[in-house]
Structures are given as C-alpha cells and as structure tokens.
Amino acid sequence: MKGDPSPKTETHKITGLILAGGQSRRMGQDKAGLIYRSRSLLDRATDLLRHLPVGDIVVLGREDTKYGVRDTEPHLGPARAIRNWLRRQDKPMNLLVIPVDMPELGREQLYELLAHEKGAYFHDLYLPFYVRAAKASAVHASTERMRDLISAFDLTELPVPVHWRTALMNINTPDDLRALEERQLG
C-alpha cells in the first residue's frame, strides 16, 4: 500500500508525540478535552497513534494523562515545546509529531509522512511531521518557530492532495469546530 512505512522503520523505534499543551485562547477551553464525534480530541489522537507503527506515545504539555509529560516552558508554542522535550532525550529518535487539534487526521496522511526516508511534512503545514533520527543537536537554542524547526530537520515538503484538506485542518475556534461538524453531517 502506498504510504506504508519502509521496512527500515521499526515499530519500537518510532515515538509518537502529541502536542496538547497550548492555551486554547481562541477556542475558549482546553482543546484536548473537546468532544468530537463522541470522543475527546486527546483520545482520538492517542488512538490514532496506537494504530500506527509507533512504540512509545508522549503527550506533551499534559502531565495529567497516561502518556503525559510536562512542558518545561508552558505556552510558548509548539516549536519550543518540541525543542525543549527533545533536548531532554538521551539519544536520537524517529519522531512522529501530531497536534491534538486535528480531529480528522488519519492513518493515510501519517503513513505518507512515514514513507519518506529522512522525514516529511505537508506544504504550508508544520504539523503533523515525521523526522528520522531527530536529535537535540540539530535544533538550536534559538529555534522558536515551527518553520525553523522544520528547516533544522531538513524535511521533505509534500503536496497536500485536495481530498486531504479536511483531514489536515486544525480547529482553533468554536466556529472551526462547528464548521467541521456541519461538513461531516452534509
């Protein structure tokens, strides 16, 4: 199947990282706990990773969950959260990073990322992404923006097929969530 991970990508060697530590100011409530199709966004993201060739799952910014770890600098953005977490790791790792606020994200999109030797991301989106052998030394202490992080990892940029636009859509406001729910009903 197109997009399946290569044989070189062993299950136990991929860490799935869910970004769930944002303030959710525009949403007005914690996005990880939002219910979409009868399940929280955090449960959806965790279940998605469980059905992929991922060994370890980490929920960054959520100590209150089974897989949660504290963000050392809370609410300073995803690039800094990833950078700081990666700097605490003792060895390079294959890392699949997904946001908690992309409820229609599926295996097909993530397998497409995993299929690329050095890692990949989708055009005009910094999340999700996959990087092979991510190591702290690749990320400078001054890395504060996602575009800088993606550049530091030298990832392959992939086009976004039109039929994947909904799957790769973040929800940031109550209106975004309503629009997604209406799209699914229509």
Side-chain angles (χ1 to χ4, degrees):
M1 170 174 139
K2 185 180 186 317
D4 277 345
S6 70
K8 296 176 195 169
T9 305
E10 298 175 38
T11 299
H12 67 280
K13 293 187 178 182
I14 298 176
T15 298
L17 184 64
I18 301 170
L19 299 177
Q23 288 182 302
S24 305
R25 282 183 289 221
R26 290 179 286 171
M27 183 59 75
Q29 66 184 54
D30 179 17
K31 287 193 268 185
L34 282 175
I35 303 300
Y36 177 71
R37 292 186 174 177
S38 305
R39 296 176 49 231
S40 76
L41 295 188
L42 182 56
D43 287 344
R44 295 179 76 76
T46 304
D47 288 347
L48 174 61
L49 291 179
R50 280 192 201 122
H51 290 94
L52 289 167
V54 169
D56 295 323
I57 297 174
V58 175
V59 180
L60 190 53
R62 298 296 301 237
E63 287 181 273
D64 60 335
T65 67
K66 176 180 177 182
Y67 305 107
V69 295
R70 183 175 67 85
D71 186 353
T72 58
E73 294 181 271
H75 313 302
L76 294 180
R80 282 176 126 178
I82 295 165
R83 177 197 73 194
N84 293 341
W85 179 80
L86 193 56
R87 296 180 113 209
R88 295 190 313 258
Q89 308 311 304
D90 59 352
K91 62 184 182 215
M93 64 181 59
N94 298 328
L95 189 59
L96 177 61
V97 181
I98 69 172
V100 75
D101 63 356
M102 209 174 263
E104 288 293 315
L105 183 63
R107 289 183 275 188
E108 185 177 11
Q109 294 81 33
L110 298 179
Y111 275 130
E112 186 63 31
L113 296 175
L114 293 173
H116 291 270
E117 183 67 26
K118 65 180 180 177
Y121 72 103
F122 293 107
H123 175 74
D124 276 346
L125 300 170
Y126 299 121
L127 294 168
F129 71 84
Y130 172 65
V131 59
R132 283 184 54 84
K135 53 189 170 197
S137 63
V139 183
H140 301 287
S142 63
T143 301
E144 295 188 14
R145 298 178 307 183
M146 286 301 295
R147 75 171 144 238
D148 299 329
L149 188 68
I150 295 294
S151 179
F153 290 138
D154 191 29
L155 302 178
T156 300
E157 182 179 341
L158 304 177
V160 177
V162 173
H163 64 283
W164 283 5
R165 287 191 180 147
T166 298
L168 294 169
M169 185 173 77
N170 293 80
I171 56 160
N172 293 306
T173 67
D175 288 340
D176 291 345
L177 182 58
R178 267 190 299 282
L180 183 60
E181 290 171 335
E182 288 170 6
R183 189 173 297 141
Q184 297 308 318
L185 292 174

